[in-house]
Amino acid sequence: MTVTSSEPTGLRERKKARMRRDLIDAAIRLFHERGFEGTTTEEIAAAVDVSQRTFFRYFASKEDVVLEAAEGVDRILFDSLRARPADEAPFRALRNATRDHWEHLEREDLHLQGSAGNLIARSPELIEANMRYCHRRQARLAEVLGERAGVDPTTDHRPSLVASVFFAALSNGHQVWCASGCEDIGRLLTCFLEQLDLIPEAVGDGWGTPAGA
């Protein structure tokens, strides 16, 4: 009888996960420095001292790297939302999940990967990928919101609408942050939360009514 240990397999999996993260971090850093189009897979591999062949064992393309980074960070947000108390209203839960998500990124040193979504949005080479990504991330968030509320987002459109407004608020927050100079990463969270806190007032009735009307 042959006895096999799970330790070597576990060690191999940890090494593979570490290499995958190293490749993602190197790629995102180079994309910021040189642009998505100006960075080659060979340069990404060289940044972590491996061959281009090794890169292609993990990713089929540069696009796959940036999409995996963005979607991995989204999964952390969705898990943070699932962990919020069930009695929190949707936007309040999303607001608090955003804060929890940010704290997780800081704790695990994942802010570099967290910037992948911005790379997708602003790279001409990734326009089609950005459209697919945005649709998929909104649909996945709607699914989580539907789970929390006990409704089916394919027939009840409220979760999809909330997801759409949520991501629009984050986009507004990012624009406000960029207008301030894009220097203090901690300020970005504040900008996000300020926009999310404005949602109830902004979508409510009456705030745009002219005085005396």
Side-chain angles (χ1 to χ4, degrees), residues 179-194:
S180 71
C182 299
E183 294 179 355
D184 182 359
I185 190 68
R187 172 67 183 158
L188 180 57
L189 174 62
T190 300
C191 292
F192 285 157
L193 298 182
E194 286 174 349

Side-chain angles (χ1 to χ4, degrees), residues 7-208:
E7 184 175 348
T9 300
L11 179 60
R12 283 196 300 272
E13 291 305 312
R14 288 195 297 274
K15 286 183 176 179
K16 287 170 65 176
R18 180 72 255 178
M19 176 57 67
R20 182 175 291 273
R21 177 170 172 176
D22 287 347
L23 287 167
I24 289 174
D25 284 349
I28 300 300
R29 186 175 293 107
L30 288 170
F31 293 156
H32 279 299
E33 293 173 357
R34 307 177 185 181
F36 182 83
E37 296 83 357
T39 303
T40 67
T41 55
E42 187 174 12
E43 289 169 336
I44 296 169
V48 292
D49 199 26
V50 297
S51 68
Q52 190 178 34
R53 182 177 179 180
T54 296
F55 172 90
F56 286 119
R57 289 198 194 110
Y58 289 85
F59 301 102
S61 66
K62 294 188 297 180
E63 180 180 307
D64 284 348
V65 179
V66 72
L67 285 172
E68 180 167 323
E71 292 180 346
V73 170
D74 283 345
R75 283 193 294 272
I76 298 169
L77 172 63
F78 302 156
D79 288 343
S80 296
L81 179 58
R82 289 188 179 97
R84 295 305 308 168
D87 60 352
E88 283 187 341
F91 282 123
R92 175 57 51 182
L94 279 167
R95 189 254 190 219
N96 292 335
T98 300
R99 181 201 60 212
D100 297 343
H101 168 248
W102 190 272
E103 291 174 354
H104 181 98
L105 295 184
E106 288 191 331
R107 188 166 57 249
E108 300 298 325
D109 193 24
L110 290 172
H111 276 306
L112 185 62
Q113 293 190 31
S115 68
N118 295 329
L119 284 168
I120 296 172
R122 71 172 188 243
S123 174
E125 192 173 323
L126 291 171
I127 289 176
E128 290 186 11
N130 184 42
M131 292 177 64
R132 295 194 305 271
Y133 165 65
C134 288
H135 177 76
R136 193 161 58 240
R137 104 193 277 215
Q138 183 172 322
R140 288 172 177 168
L141 179 55
E143 289 176 4
V144 180
L145 289 165
E147 289 173 13
R148 283 177 49 84
V151 300
D152 182 355
T154 62
T155 55
D156 187 324
H157 296 160
R158 289 174 296 177
S160 294
L161 182 58
V162 170
S164 179
V165 173
F166 170 74
F167 286 125
L170 294 191
S171 178
N172 274 14
H174 187 264
Q175 291 178 38
V176 171
W177 180 68
C178 287
S180 71
C182 299
E183 294 179 355
D184 182 359
I185 190 68
R187 172 67 183 158
L188 180 57
L189 174 62
T190 300
C191 292
F192 285 157
L193 298 182
E194 286 174 349
Q195 294 297 308
L196 292 171
D197 287 339
L198 277 175
I199 289 174
E201 176 186 346
V203 302
D205 294 330
W207 69 269

